[in-house]
Amino acid sequence: MAQYPAQLDGVFVALADPTRRAVVRRLGHGPTSVGDLAREFPMTLPSFMKHVRTLESNGLIRTVKSGRVRTCVLNRERLALVDDWLAEQRRIWNERTDRLEQFVTDPEENRQ
Amino acid sequence: MNPDLDLALERIIHAPRATVWRAWTDPSRLEQWWVPAPSRCRVDRLDLRPGGAFVTRLSDDGAEFVPHLDACFLAVDELERIVFTNAIDSTWRPASPAPVAMTATITLNDHPDGTDYRIVVRHGDPEARAHHEKLGFADGWGTVTAQLAARTEGRQ
């Protein structure tokens, strides 16, 4: 993480707000239009757009305009700077399986 | 499977299915591989039935054991499948386990080279817990906060 200090600061700022964290979580399920997103939050559209711009300027989301619809897409790589818990869980289970395999293939264990 | 939250592992283990099953279901054997050395594991409860307790403790020095896993079996099918969750603890009390709530499904099948061993771990959403934290950051963010603080303090 230390090699991206500036990016990390931005990510950290962007995620310091519950609305913005909720948007990130929502976009984790797939791209969504700004209009659909905004309807889920109890605030005015200008206030909501401010949050969207903060997420976008810090690289957590991209927005793509098609006709009159602006769609938000999660930038997973940027999120991965801080949110690597799943990789950590994978490592734990992988290593646990390694140990199980070593244990059951030990000649001692198979003699019984 | 939700690729953002869940993980799947598959491995061919070169040992008979009964041997793998025994390594999972005999406390004295489970203790030998459940946690990474040099930490030591102690299996407190291993009630292999739906609703049964699954409790392990962990020690770094071999003297003092601290809580590790406090979970509950959901399904146990002899030689075939083990499912457990830490979303409810061994007393069936709803829990908020760190780092994240999970349901783990382990399936064993015969394979010409031994055992086809598969794991699916379904996780709760770790960010959902952030709302309950005073600073709005779950454990995962805590590390980041500490690192950020250390770095910004270093800059001043």
Side-chain angles (χ1 to χ4, degrees):
Chain A
M1 277 204 232
Q3 69 246 52
Y4 314 106
Q7 292 179 356
L8 186 58
D9 287 354
V11 171
F12 191 80
V13 166
L15 291 171
D17 173 273
T19 298
R20 294 198 289 268
R21 281 200 302 278
V23 170
V24 166
R25 196 161 58 243
R26 177 72 171 71
L27 293 176
H29 300 295
T32 314
S33 75
V34 169
D36 286 349
L37 279 174
R39 270 193 290 278
E40 294 178 28
F41 296 95
M43 60 183 72
T44 62
L45 188 61
S47 301
F48 184 73
M49 285 307 296
K50 224 161 110 179
H51 285 307
V52 170
R53 279 194 298 272
T54 303
L55 286 167
E56 188 171 25
S57 63
N58 288 299
L60 276 163
I61 67 170
R62 287 178 291 116
T63 68
V64 188
K65 195 156 184 171
S66 167
R68 293 179 54 194
V69 180
R70 186 174 284 279
T71 300
C72 301
V73 186
L74 189 62
N75 181 355
R76 287 173 199 283
E77 278 120 35
R78 186 58 60 92
L79 189 63
L81 287 180
V82 290
D83 193 17
D84 60 352
W85 64 272
L86 187 58
E88 174 70 2
Q89 295 308 305
R90 178 173 291 279
R91 185 186 62 78
I92 288 168
W93 281 99
N94 255 318
E95 290 179 1
R96 182 170 279 159
T97 306
D98 290 343
R99 293 192 302 271
L100 169 63
E101 184 165 29
Q102 275 167 6
F103 178 75
V104 295
T105 53
D106 187 80
E108 285 281 301
E109 181 63 14
N110 286 297
R111 261 215 314 272
Q112 295 153 4
Chain B
M1 278 284 296
N2 172 345
D4 295 325
L5 289 176
D6 303 339
L7 59 92
L9 300 174
E10 189 181 345
R11 193 83 65 93
I12 304 302
I13 294 183
H14 295 78
R17 188 146 62 124
T19 306
V20 178
W21 182 260
R22 197 173 53 187
W24 246 106
T25 56
D26 170 13
S28 67
R29 290 186 165 88
L30 181 61
E31 282 175 357
Q32 296 183 59
W33 61 269
W34 187 240
V35 305
S39 295
R40 302 265 306 280
C41 173
R42 184 177 289 165
V43 176
D44 284 350
R45 304 278 305 274
L46 190 66
D47 306 332
L48 289 150
R49 53 190 167 80
F54 185 12
V55 182
T56 60
R57 281 188 294 156
L58 185 72
S59 174
D60 290 330
D61 58 7
E64 192 198 350
F65 282 82
V66 298
H68 176 232
L69 178 73
D70 188 347
C72 177
F73 289 107
L74 299 175
V76 179
D77 305 320
E78 183 83 17
L79 295 174
E80 285 180 5
R81 186 175 66 147
I82 294 171
V83 186
F84 68 92
T85 185
N86 63 356
I88 43 173
D89 72 12
S90 53
T91 66
W92 296 358
R93 188 178 294 281
S96 305
V100 66
M102 62 149 183
T103 300
T105 300
I106 292 93
T107 44
L108 284 64
N109 280 293
D110 285 332
H111 183 276
D113 296 327
T115 305
D116 179 343
Y117 182 83
R118 295 179 191 211
I119 296 175
V120 175
V121 185
R122 293 178 174 85
H123 290 104
D125 187 337
E127 287 174 59
R129 286 178 26 246
H131 295 289
H132 303 291
E133 303 272 333
K134 212 157 94 182
L135 290 171
F137 290 100
D139 299 2
W141 313 110
T143 319
V144 181
T145 314
Q147 287 178 338
L148 190 71
R151 224 189 33 249
T152 47
E153 282 155 17
R155 272 210 300 258
Q156 282 158 5

